[in-house]
Amino acid sequence: MKILVTGGLGYIGSHTVVELLNNNHSVVIVDNLINSKIEVLDNLKIITKKEIDFYQIDILNFIELEKIFKKYKFDAIIHFAGLKAVGESCDKPLLYYENNVSGSINLYNLAIKHNVKNIVFSSSATVYGDDFKVPFKEEYGLGTCTNPYGETKKINEIILTDLSKTDKDLSVVLLRYFNPVGASKTQLLGENPNGIPNNLVPYIAKVAIKELPYLNVYGNDYNTPDGTAIRDYIHIIDLAKGHLKAVEYAVKNKGIEVINLGTGKGTSVLEMVKAYEKASNIKIDYKIQPRRKGDIETCFADTAKAKKLLNFETEYDIEEMCLDSYNYMIKNIK
Ligand code: NAD
Ligand code: UD1
């Protein structure tokens, strides 16, 4: 298949491109590099030993984006391009609605105009909000989000759901990711945000390599076994393989499906700290702080639908996630 991958040089997109190319699909990447680096393209070529067509285009630029649709006949689109910082989305809601909603509408308009019938979209477990009991099941639908970023994911889900009602030949898979962590085994792809990370594992990683002195653990008074909040961490390679299965499913099945991609297992903040210590053999200092605003207590996936429709099961445990994160950080310390 020829697959358009928007945001393909980002964290999840780049790992997915490896899986697609290794399974004999061809990809065209569109990315404006707002949150990625061009070196990722070189690393993708080193890992896969394949040529990759890349265009530095903003999906908000309809005219430039349409040139790509005129040049190639795509079988499917995997749409990763978007901004993802929850805090920033609260400070700059218009930026998020414009980029993540208007940009997506451009892309969907072009898909319809150029007859591309298969779309896989990066949604998030954040759309469940705090409204439901764990494990989160796809049938629960959309909960209450506490931030504009989450709203942009809900709006995209609604747009694609409505669109799928207008064309019975359209096939859409909405993938609700839980918490992706880890890195490529090659140590050439991974996640190393600039500045102070917001997310747990990138923060622990910077403590491990002594770039930050200690971890702030946000809350130890939750109703969980050790008092810290629980999440469903999924290895980035497992997540990438889920995309391969989702896009192959989309081309064979019409209609719309919402599918969770998680492990179904919950891990607390302190369990993750211990796993990282074990994997890296480095002590991770931490200080207990008040709860972080907007955080929920426990979040993990019901994985039955991913297993049933995609035959998707995860392979890697949290220690391997920590080990791959740590190895990537060591290799990439500047
Ligand atoms: P990322 O920031 O690493 O990748 C996103 C890529 O999209 C970046 O390379 C960025 O440069 C590009 N991009 C952003 N806006 C663009 C635009 N207007 N035009 C062209 N390119 C643009 O993020 P990621 O972690 O790889 O996430 C990919 C997708 O998955 C995002 O939509 C994100 O919201 C979603 N998601 C991520 C997580 C997570 O924890 N990482 C969880 C749930 C959902
Ligand atoms: C975050 C995003 C969410 C996104 C999800 C996917 C926020 C508020 N939410 O969720 O929209 O869908 O990633 O990966 O950013 N923690 C600490 N110390 C830290 C960082 C985090 O204790 O320095 C705790 C948090 O309080 C939370 C857990 O670790 O309990 C996980 O946090 P994080 O990695 O930021 O992910 P989420 O909040 O689940």
Side-chain angles (χ1 to χ4, degrees):
M1 279 194 277
K2 185 165 277 301
I3 302 167
L4 172 63
V5 182
T6 72
L9 295 190
Y11 176 48
I12 308 172
S14 59
H15 287 85
T16 300
V17 165
V18 171
E19 297 302 325
L20 295 172
L21 291 174
N22 285 347
N23 285 277
N24 299 319
H25 297 297
S26 75
V27 303
V28 175
I29 297 176
V30 163
D31 198 305
N32 67 353
L33 300 179
I34 193 158
N35 199 34
S36 51
K37 297 196 174 72
I38 194 65
E39 293 83 78
V40 172
L41 183 63
D42 302 327
N43 288 340
L44 284 171
K45 290 177 183 166
I46 294 169
I47 293 168
T48 64
K49 301 184 181 61
K50 294 201 175 146
E51 275 311 303
I52 301 166
D53 291 354
F54 167 70
Y55 298 87
Q56 186 175 347
I57 291 174
D58 192 319
I59 59 167
L60 283 165
N61 188 334
F62 188 91
I63 292 169
E64 286 302 309
L65 195 56
E66 181 154 40
K67 288 183 187 161
I68 306 300
F69 279 83
K70 285 183 176 156
K71 184 161 180 189
Y72 301 94
K73 171 85 193 89
F74 296 116
D75 299 295
I77 298 170
I78 307 183
H79 178 31
F80 293 104
L83 298 172
K84 64 167 182 175
V86 171
E88 185 186 52
S89 81
C90 296
D91 297 335
K92 299 176 183 168
L94 275 180
L95 176 71
Y96 273 68
Y97 286 113
E98 188 177 27
N99 198 73
N100 293 6
V101 179
S102 305
S104 295
I105 290 174
N106 272 346
L107 182 72
Y108 305 149
N109 267 319
L110 286 167
I112 301 303
K113 187 171 172 190
H114 293 272
N115 226 16
V116 185
K117 297 289 188 186
N118 303 298
I119 301 174
V120 174
F121 174 67
S122 295
S123 189
S124 168
T126 202
V127 302
Y128 289 112
D130 203 2
D131 302 31
F132 309 110
K133 280 207 187 97
V134 284
F136 291 154
K137 297 182 200 298
E138 294 85 347
E139 69 211 38
Y140 289 165
L142 302 172
T144 316
C145 283
T146 52
N147 57 77
Y149 165 73
E151 296 297 341
T152 69
K153 293 295 168 194
K154 281 165 61 178
I155 294 169
N156 269 275
E157 287 205 11
I158 293 165
I159 292 170
L160 288 168
T161 304
D162 288 342
L163 205 54
S164 72
K165 291 178 192 153
T166 66
D167 181 353
K168 65 176 177 18
D169 291 328
L170 203 61
S171 175
V172 175
V173 180
L174 305 173
L175 292 177
R176 293 186 182 156
Y177 314 150
F178 284 70
N179 293 52
V181 296
S184 159
K185 301 279 174 195
T186 62
Q187 293 142 30
L188 291 171
L189 304 173
E191 189 180 32
N192 185 6
N194 291 329
I196 300 193
N198 292 311
N199 299 114
L200 180 65
V201 173
Y203 202 111
I204 296 177
K206 293 214 175 195
V207 176
I209 62 164
K210 315 282 181 224
E211 230 177 273
L212 291 168
Y214 58 86
L215 171 73
N216 295 301
V217 172
Y218 296 129
N220 68 347
D221 56 351
Y222 286 105
N223 187 20
T224 61
D226 65 19
T228 63
I230 290 177
R231 295 290 181 273
D232 185 340
Y233 298 94
I234 175 170
H235 197 296
I236 188 70
I237 299 174
D238 281 326
L239 189 69
K241 287 182 177 163
H243 286 78
L244 172 68
K245 287 181 178 254
V247 74
E248 290 178 344
Y249 175 89
V251 294
K252 290 192 201 121
N253 298 275
K254 300 297 163 204
I256 182 157
E257 293 292 352
V258 181
I259 303 178
N260 288 337
L261 291 181
T263 65
K265 292 188 197 76
T267 301
S268 75
V269 174
L270 290 181
E271 283 170 339
M272 190 53 105
V273 169
K274 282 199 200 94
Y276 214 100
E277 286 180 332
K278 193 169 170 202
S280 64
N281 207 19
I282 288 173
K283 173 110 182 59
I284 306 294
D285 289 327
Y286 64 84
K287 289 189 183 170
I288 304 293
Q289 305 288 3
R291 293 181 181 193
R292 189 172 69 176
K293 201 167 148 257
D295 274 351
I296 64 172
E297 184 168 279
T298 301
C299 169
F300 57 89
D302 186 303
T303 57
K305 192 170 178 187
K307 166 81 178 126
K308 187 171 167 218
L309 294 190
L310 307 182
N311 194 25
F312 174 74
E313 279 180 302
T314 55
E315 193 179 326
Y316 300 108
D317 62 13
I318 53 165
E319 269 168 35
E320 196 133 4
M321 298 177 207
C322 294
L323 183 65
D324 292 334
S325 154
Y326 181 65
N327 285 338
Y328 174 77
M329 290 304 282
I330 292 291
K331 175 98 181 269
N332 290 279
I333 291 176
K334 295 266 184 296

